[in-house]
Amino acid sequence: MRSARRRVVITGLGTVNPLGNTADETWKNACEGRSGIGPITKFDVTHFKTTIAGEVRNFDPLAFMNAKEVRRLDNFIVYSLASSAMALEDAGLTIGGTSAERVGVIIGSAIGGLATIERELAVLANEGPKKTSPFAVPAALANLAAGNVSIRFGAKGPISCTVTACAAGNSAIADSFNLIANDRADAMIAGGSEAAICPLTIAGFNAMRALSTRNSEPAKASRPFDKDRDGFVAGEGCGIVILEEMTSALNRGARIYAEIAGTASTSDAYHIAAPPEGHHGAARCMKLALDDAGMQPDAIDYINAHGTSTPLNDIYETQAIKHIFGEHSGRLVVSSTKSMTGHLLGAAGGIEALFCVKAIHEGIIPPTINLDNPDEGCSLDYAPHTARKKDIRAAMSNSFGFGGVNSVIIFKKFEE
């Protein structure tokens, strides 16, 4: 028989994303239904079908590191360092002494330092190998977001990087939860980071016909569940949460936002980029997460949907929710915060965990903006346009990725 697992709580939040450069700014803008989508400024988009994205704006990395580090690091690492610093400060968690060996880091990324790879390939092609930067490889490796955070803050416990496409941030938090629950760590810095608004990303997704081309109306381009959606909007940023073993958090007087109740991961085993009709892998993942949490479907009040604003995902995710939640699906509130942030790829699960935790703690559900005309088959309560006050006992965060990976986390209101 498995021994009782330890309880795991969320005590700190940190983020850099298209909606804001702090957790509070992000939450305020989300509750006001603002869009973080605008014209791409990071490169010349003259010949691109898509010219819009969710870029991080007005962010000063020098508030968190020196200019030399900024030059040497890819932005997905810079965003991770900044977000982790904010999350640790928010949690009031100091890492040091022997306790450092019980604090770990898992930060997921779908793509890692692709912008660095692009830049260095151009240097190699135009100027030759002698001009290649010695920092090119360390800036590009996906696991070096976690590596740099571990070094910066002295976390000597388990360290890893989940590379599960658009589920990476969610997977990182789920893996961190299991490490603490099974007494392999006492605290974890976890989430996802992405900084892939670069030519190859946009051109590649354009070639797949996956991105919105509503270039003349950036703020209206990401429209999950709406019949006029024409693809997702790429975003960038980082979302980090601090997970702690409950007793340790209580003993040090930490403010607790929420508790993690359960997690699950499954595979569709179907198609590299498209979900199956009915999204059976996602449905099974939601059911397994409920089982892991020891909850019935009617215990969930809010779902932060994967909700990508793509033709297949939105309908099939809706079908999966209806399949698992049955009659209760009519009482659920579901929203897609990607309508405001865009799709942060591997960072999506990190920022969406933050939205779930804040929703529980504040009693407010962030809206799905741009949902003017729900598509046929998209018939749940998606909290259109306006944030909604609601006491939330438990919230589910869905993240699905290329290759058929599904990851689900259930957060619940903390009670001792």
Side-chain angles (χ1 to χ4, degrees):
M1 180 181 292
R2 186 180 72 177
S3 59
R5 67 186 185 189
R6 306 194 303 170
R7 293 173 66 182
V8 181
V9 296
I10 305 294
T11 59
L13 306 172
T15 185
V16 173
N17 69 84
L19 276 184
N21 296 324
T22 68
D24 287 343
E25 181 186 14
T26 298
W27 179 245
K28 177 179 182 293
N29 286 334
C31 290
E32 292 175 356
R34 297 183 183 274
S35 173
I37 311 303
I40 292 173
T41 64
K42 293 182 179 293
F43 61 92
D44 182 359
V45 294
T46 300
H47 301 293
F48 286 76
K49 294 179 181 178
T50 293
T51 63
I52 57 174
E55 293 183 346
V56 170
R57 302 177 192 274
N58 304 315
F59 168 64
D60 180 13
L62 298 179
F64 301 94
M65 63 203 73
N66 62 48
K68 183 182 291 186
E69 289 175 303
V70 174
R71 290 195 300 271
R72 291 176 174 179
L73 301 173
D74 189 274
N75 273 341
F76 90 102
I77 299 174
V78 172
Y79 297 160
S80 297
L81 286 165
S83 299
S84 297
M86 288 186 276
L88 287 166
E89 181 179 7
D90 186 43
L93 181 63
T94 300
I95 303 172
T98 57
S99 67
E101 298 176 2
R102 299 282 295 177
V103 181
V105 186
I106 304 181
I107 300 176
S109 183
I111 298 178
L114 184 60
T116 292
I117 294 171
E118 277 193 343
R119 184 181 66 249
E120 292 299 321
L121 278 173
V123 170
L124 179 63
N126 296 325
E127 303 179 50
K130 290 184 179 181
K131 294 295 184 178
T132 301
S133 170
F135 303 104
V137 172
L141 294 176
N143 74 300
L144 284 187
N148 276 278
V149 168
S150 172
I151 293 166
R152 173 64 55 87
F153 300 107
K156 298 180 180 179
I159 181 173
S160 186
C161 170
T162 48
V163 186
T164 49
C166 300
N170 198 296
S171 298
I173 296 168
D175 288 355
S176 296
F177 162 76
N178 284 307
L179 284 169
I180 298 173
N182 293 304
D183 200 14
R184 302 295 179 88
D186 292 329
M188 296 292 295
I189 303 165
S193 192
E194 209 76 81
I197 307 301
C198 57
L200 183 56
T201 299
I202 303 303
F205 280 129
N206 271 157
M208 295 178 68
R209 294 181 292 180
L211 291 180
S212 172
T213 56
R214 193 186 288 257
N215 298 316
S216 62
E217 297 180 299
K220 296 182 179 181
S222 184
R223 39 197 321 113
F225 310 110
D226 189 86
K227 71 175 184 179
D228 294 322
R229 67 194 184 279
D230 68 330
F232 77 89
V233 178
E236 65 170 355
C238 179
I240 296 292
V241 297
I242 304 300
L243 292 75
E244 292 188 62
E245 189 274 324
M246 179 192 69
T247 303
S248 296
L250 289 173
N251 286 344
R252 69 178 189 84
R255 183 235 356 264
I256 294 175
Y257 284 107
E259 180 175 357
I260 296 183
T263 70
S265 178
T266 64
S267 175
D268 293 337
Y270 173 73
H271 188 276
I272 197 167
E277 185 173 357
H279 216 327
H280 305 303
R284 186 161 51 91
C285 197
M286 286 186 269
K287 176 62 166 61
L288 289 172
L290 287 166
D291 292 345
D292 190 51
M295 289 181 173
Q296 294 300 314
D298 62 6
I300 304 297
D301 294 313
Y302 169 57
I303 297 178
N304 188 291
H306 189 53
T308 53
S309 186
T310 54
L312 293 183
N313 174 87
D314 296 356
I315 289 178
Y316 292 169
E317 184 175 8
T318 296
Q319 291 174 354
I321 290 170
K322 287 183 175 181
H323 176 72
I324 294 302
F325 288 90
E327 290 185 2
H328 183 60
S329 63
R331 296 184 290 273
L332 277 170
V333 183
V334 179
S335 74
S336 173
T337 46
K338 289 184 179 74
S339 61
M340 297 176 282
T341 64
H343 191 344
L344 272 61
L345 308 178
I351 185 65
E352 288 158 16
L354 184 151
F355 285 131
C356 284
V357 167
K358 290 288 280 185
I360 291 169
H361 193 252
E362 304 294 335
I364 300 174
I365 292 175
T368 304
I369 67 170
N370 300 323
L371 182 51
D372 300 324
N373 300 293
D375 196 2
E376 183 178 355
C378 294
S379 54
L380 297 171
D381 180 355
Y382 302 109
H385 305 300
T386 305
R388 188 177 305 175
K389 290 184 178 180
K390 182 177 176 63
D391 181 58
I392 302 168
R393 298 166 298 166
M396 174 180 284
S397 181
N398 288 345
S399 289
F400 314 133
F402 278 12
V405 60
N406 307 298
S407 183
V408 173
I409 300 175
I410 296 174
F411 303 90
K412 68 179 182 179
K413 184 174 292 187
F414 174 69
E415 297 177 350
E416 288 190 52

